[in-house]
Amino acid sequence: MPQPKFPPAPPPQPPARPPAPAPWTRAAPLRGISLGLVCADAEAPAARLFRDAAQDLGAQVTVLDPARITGGGALDSVGRLLGRLYGAIECQGLAPALVRALSEATPVPVFDGLAAAGATSSVLERDRQLRAVQMALLAALR
């Protein structure tokens, strides 16, 4: 009995490329990372700048009261706890010695006034500062 003839197999196709992201979506390289912001005034320009920069990158920011961080307990245990909760900590308006001690007590990056470069007078200057904060966050957390 004769064997049936089959047509030759088509050549292999290259793997399909994933679809391009929609133009209105943004990259969020820090999605899923929580950041702690230790400051007395959550509405201060530097605090808003840090929050905006981090949230634009996809991070969540929790504002922490400095009185709760620095008072009533050993800074070592507080630092270890903060290191478990947050990927990085931004300190604004704290004494440099306190920031240094917190940095030594926690395993995550601790910034001392990263976004506190002063009040901005123009939109372009604020945008430049926002990008500088974002670059520092990405460098520390990648």
Side-chain angles (χ1 to χ4, degrees):
M1 177 171 200
Q3 293 285 20
K5 283 199 156 183
F6 293 103
Q13 297 292 324
R17 289 179 34 186
W24 59 86
T25 61
R26 300 176 77 178
L30 298 185
R31 178 173 288 143
I33 295 179
S34 295
L35 304 176
L37 171 60
V38 182
C39 67
D41 182 10
E43 294 305 315
R48 283 197 314 261
L49 181 72
F50 182 81
R51 272 199 325 267
D52 292 347
Q55 289 170 349
D56 281 355
L57 293 173
Q60 294 181 340
V61 179
T62 303
V63 178
L64 305 166
D65 182 13
R68 292 182 164 252
I69 301 295
T70 59
L75 196 56
D76 288 341
S77 61
V78 171
R80 282 193 305 274
L81 176 64
L82 293 176
R84 289 183 185 160
L85 295 174
Y86 304 108
I89 302 165
E90 158 75 335
C91 299
Q92 295 179 357
L94 296 179
L98 183 60
V99 175
R100 204 172 317 112
L102 183 61
S103 177
E104 292 170 359
T106 186
V108 299
V110 176
F111 301 106
D112 186 7
L114 178 63
T120 59
S121 58
S122 70
V123 174
L124 290 175
E125 180 63 22
R126 184 182 190 282
D127 188 55
R128 185 189 68 72
Q129 287 180 342
L130 184 87
R131 300 294 174 234
V133 171
Q134 289 175 337
M135 286 189 298
L137 286 172
L138 286 173
L141 296 173
R142 287 210 153 211

PDB file of all heavy atoms in Angstrom, residues 70-87:
ATOM      1  N   THR A  70      11.684  58.713  67.163  1.00  0.00           N
ATOM      2  CA  THR A  70      12.835  59.013  68.004  1.00  0.00           C
ATOM      3  C   THR A  70      12.566  58.879  69.492  1.00  0.00           C
ATOM      4  O   THR A  70      13.498  58.807  70.272  1.00  0.00           O
ATOM      5  CB  THR A  70      13.317  60.448  67.736  1.00  0.00           C
ATOM      6  OG1 THR A  70      12.252  61.363  68.017  1.00  0.00           O
ATOM      7  CG2 THR A  70      13.749  60.599  66.299  1.00  0.00           C
ATOM      8  N   GLY A  71      11.310  58.860  69.884  1.00  0.00           N
ATOM      9  CA  GLY A  71      11.048  58.845  71.320  1.00  0.00           C
ATOM     10  C   GLY A  71      10.527  57.513  71.811  1.00  0.00           C
ATOM     11  O   GLY A  71       9.838  56.782  71.118  1.00  0.00           O
ATOM     12  N   GLY A  72      10.865  57.178  73.021  1.00  0.00           N
ATOM     13  CA  GLY A  72      10.264  56.045  73.703  1.00  0.00           C
ATOM     14  C   GLY A  72      10.743  54.669  73.282  1.00  0.00           C
ATOM     15  O   GLY A  72      10.000  53.727  73.348  1.00  0.00           O
ATOM     16  N   GLY A  73      11.932  54.505  72.881  1.00  0.00           N
ATOM     17  CA  GLY A  73      12.394  53.159  72.551  1.00  0.00           C
ATOM     18  C   GLY A  73      13.803  53.190  72.021  1.00  0.00           C
ATOM     19  O   GLY A  73      14.331  54.239  71.680  1.00  0.00           O
ATOM     20  N   ALA A  74      14.380  52.046  71.951  1.00  0.00           N
ATOM     21  CA  ALA A  74      15.735  51.939  71.446  1.00  0.00           C
ATOM     22  C   ALA A  74      15.716  52.143  69.936  1.00  0.00           C
ATOM     23  O   ALA A  74      14.911  51.540  69.229  1.00  0.00           O
ATOM     24  CB  ALA A  74      16.310  50.578  71.797  1.00  0.00           C
ATOM     25  N   LEU A  75      16.592  52.988  69.467  1.00  0.00           N
ATOM     26  CA  LEU A  75      16.640  53.296  68.041  1.00  0.00           C
ATOM     27  C   LEU A  75      17.033  52.069  67.225  1.00  0.00           C
ATOM     28  O   LEU A  75      16.631  51.940  66.075  1.00  0.00           O
ATOM     29  CB  LEU A  75      17.606  54.454  67.787  1.00  0.00           C
ATOM     30  CG  LEU A  75      17.481  55.135  66.434  1.00  0.00           C
ATOM     31  CD1 LEU A  75      16.077  55.644  66.203  1.00  0.00           C
ATOM     32  CD2 LEU A  75      18.481  56.261  66.317  1.00  0.00           C
ATOM     33  N   ASP A  76      17.780  51.137  67.831  1.00  0.00           N
ATOM     34  CA  ASP A  76      18.160  49.917  67.125  1.00  0.00           C
ATOM     35  C   ASP A  76      16.935  49.092  66.745  1.00  0.00           C
ATOM     36  O   ASP A  76      16.811  48.638  65.609  1.00  0.00           O
ATOM     37  CB  ASP A  76      19.103  49.065  67.972  1.00  0.00           C
ATOM     38  CG  ASP A  76      20.485  49.663  68.082  1.00  0.00           C
ATOM     39  OD1 ASP A  76      20.821  50.520  67.234  1.00  0.00           O
ATOM     40  OD2 ASP A  76      21.221  49.285  69.009  1.00  0.00           O
ATOM     41  N   SER A  77      16.034  48.891  67.693  1.00  0.00           N
ATOM     42  CA  SER A  77      14.844  48.090  67.400  1.00  0.00           C
ATOM     43  C   SER A  77      13.909  48.821  66.447  1.00  0.00           C
ATOM     44  O   SER A  77      13.293  48.200  65.582  1.00  0.00           O
ATOM     45  CB  SER A  77      14.122  47.697  68.690  1.00  0.00           C
ATOM     46  OG  SER A  77      13.708  48.851  69.386  1.00  0.00           O
ATOM     47  N   VAL A  78      13.803  50.136  66.591  1.00  0.00           N
ATOM     48  CA  VAL A  78      12.977  50.924  65.671  1.00  0.00           C
ATOM     49  C   VAL A  78      13.560  50.847  64.259  1.00  0.00           C
ATOM     50  O   VAL A  78      12.834  50.671  63.278  1.00  0.00           O
ATOM     51  CB  VAL A  78      12.867  52.392  66.151  1.00  0.00           C
ATOM     52  CG1 VAL A  78      12.205  53.259  65.096  1.00  0.00           C
ATOM     53  CG2 VAL A  78      12.097  52.472  67.450  1.00  0.00           C
ATOM     54  N   GLY A  79      14.869  50.953  64.141  1.00  0.00           N
ATOM     55  CA  GLY A  79      15.524  50.872  62.840  1.00  0.00           C
ATOM     56  C   GLY A  79      15.319  49.523  62.179  1.00  0.00           C
ATOM     57  O   GLY A  79      15.071  49.442  60.970  1.00  0.00           O
ATOM     58  N   ARG A  80      15.415  48.447  62.953  1.00  0.00           N
ATOM     59  CA  ARG A  80      15.185  47.109  62.390  1.00  0.00           C
ATOM     60  C   ARG A  80      13.748  46.965  61.906  1.00  0.00           C
ATOM     61  O   ARG A  80      13.488  46.405  60.839  1.00  0.00           O
ATOM     62  CB  ARG A  80      15.519  46.042  63.418  1.00  0.00           C
ATOM     63  CG  ARG A  80      17.002  45.786  63.561  1.00  0.00           C
ATOM     64  CD  ARG A  80      17.289  44.518  64.340  1.00  0.00           C
ATOM     65  NE  ARG A  80      16.665  44.483  65.662  1.00  0.00           N
ATOM     66  CZ  ARG A  80      17.200  45.000  66.764  1.00  0.00           C
ATOM     67  NH1 ARG A  80      18.368  45.600  66.715  1.00  0.00           N
ATOM     68  NH2 ARG A  80      16.581  44.927  67.919  1.00  0.00           N
ATOM     69  N   LEU A  81      12.804  47.485  62.683  1.00  0.00           N
ATOM     70  CA  LEU A  81      11.393  47.418  62.293  1.00  0.00           C
ATOM     71  C   LEU A  81      11.156  48.218  61.011  1.00  0.00           C
ATOM     72  O   LEU A  81      10.494  47.741  60.085  1.00  0.00           O
ATOM     73  CB  LEU A  81      10.503  47.935  63.422  1.00  0.00           C
ATOM     74  CG  LEU A  81       9.010  48.001  63.102  1.00  0.00           C
ATOM     75  CD1 LEU A  81       8.464  46.607  62.844  1.00  0.00           C
ATOM     76  CD2 LEU A  81       8.252  48.688  64.216  1.00  0.00           C
ATOM     77  N   LEU A  82      11.694  49.425  60.947  1.00  0.00           N
ATOM     78  CA  LEU A  82      11.521  50.240  59.743  1.00  0.00           C
ATOM     79  C   LEU A  82      12.158  49.566  58.524  1.00  0.00           C
ATOM     80  O   LEU A  82      11.647  49.661  57.411  1.00  0.00           O
ATOM     81  CB  LEU A  82      12.108  51.637  59.946  1.00  0.00           C
ATOM     82  CG  LEU A  82      11.394  52.525  60.961  1.00  0.00           C
ATOM     83  CD1 LEU A  82      12.132  53.843  61.133  1.00  0.00           C
ATOM     84  CD2 LEU A  82       9.953  52.762  60.565  1.00  0.00           C
ATOM     85  N   GLY A  83      13.268  48.879  58.741  1.00  0.00           N
ATOM     86  CA  GLY A  83      13.924  48.165  57.657  1.00  0.00           C
ATOM     87  C   GLY A  83      13.087  47.016  57.121  1.00  0.00           C
ATOM     88  O   GLY A  83      13.201  46.648  55.954  1.00  0.00           O
ATOM     89  N   ARG A  84      12.243  46.450  57.958  1.00  0.00           N
ATOM     90  CA  ARG A  84      11.345  45.385  57.498  1.00  0.00           C
ATOM     91  C   ARG A  84      10.131  45.943  56.771  1.00  0.00           C
ATOM     92  O   ARG A  84       9.579  45.290  55.897  1.00  0.00           O
ATOM     93  CB  ARG A  84      10.873  44.552  58.682  1.00  0.00           C
ATOM     94  CG  ARG A  84      11.960  43.697  59.267  1.00  0.00           C
ATOM     95  CD  ARG A  84      11.418  42.855  60.373  1.00  0.00           C
ATOM     96  NE  ARG A  84      12.504  42.109  61.006  1.00  0.00           N
ATOM     97  CZ  ARG A  84      12.423  41.593  62.205  1.00  0.00           C
ATOM     98  NH1 ARG A  84      11.327  41.728  62.912  1.00  0.00           N
ATOM     99  NH2 ARG A  84      13.449  40.936  62.707  1.00  0.00           N
ATOM    100  N   LEU A  85       9.725  47.136  57.158  1.00  0.00           N
ATOM    101  CA  LEU A  85       8.510  47.711  56.578  1.00  0.00           C
ATOM    102  C   LEU A  85       8.756  48.485  55.280  1.00  0.00           C
ATOM    103  O   LEU A  85       7.876  48.535  54.422  1.00  0.00           O
ATOM    104  CB  LEU A  85       7.847  48.655  57.586  1.00  0.00           C
ATOM    105  CG  LEU A  85       7.303  48.016  58.860  1.00  0.00           C
ATOM    106  CD1 LEU A  85       6.816  49.085  59.817  1.00  0.00           C
ATOM    107  CD2 LEU A  85       6.196  47.036  58.525  1.00  0.00           C
ATOM    108  N   TYR A  86       9.927  49.099  55.160  1.00  0.00           N
ATOM    109  CA  TYR A  86      10.163  50.022  54.043  1.00  0.00           C
ATOM    110  C   TYR A  86      11.425  49.656  53.274  1.00  0.00           C
ATOM    111  O   TYR A  86      12.391  49.150  53.841  1.00  0.00           O
ATOM    112  CB  TYR A  86      10.262  51.459  54.572  1.00  0.00           C
ATOM    113  CG  TYR A  86       9.039  51.859  55.350  1.00  0.00           C
ATOM    114  CD1 TYR A  86       9.082  52.003  56.729  1.00  0.00           C
ATOM    115  CD2 TYR A  86       7.828  52.059  54.708  1.00  0.00           C
ATOM    116  CE1 TYR A  86       7.952  52.342  57.453  1.00  0.00           C
ATOM    117  CE2 TYR A  86       6.687  52.385  55.416  1.00  0.00           C
ATOM    118  CZ  TYR A  86       6.754  52.530  56.784  1.00  0.00           C
ATOM    119  OH  TYR A  86       5.629  52.847  57.482  1.00  0.00           O
ATOM    120  N   GLY A  87      11.407  49.974  51.985  1.00  0.00           N
ATOM    121  CA  GLY A  87      12.564  49.739  51.134  1.00  0.00           C
ATOM    122  C   GLY A  87      13.618  50.815  51.283  1.00  0.00           C
ATOM    123  O   GLY A  87      14.788  50.598  50.983  1.00  0.00           O
TER     124      GLY A  87
END
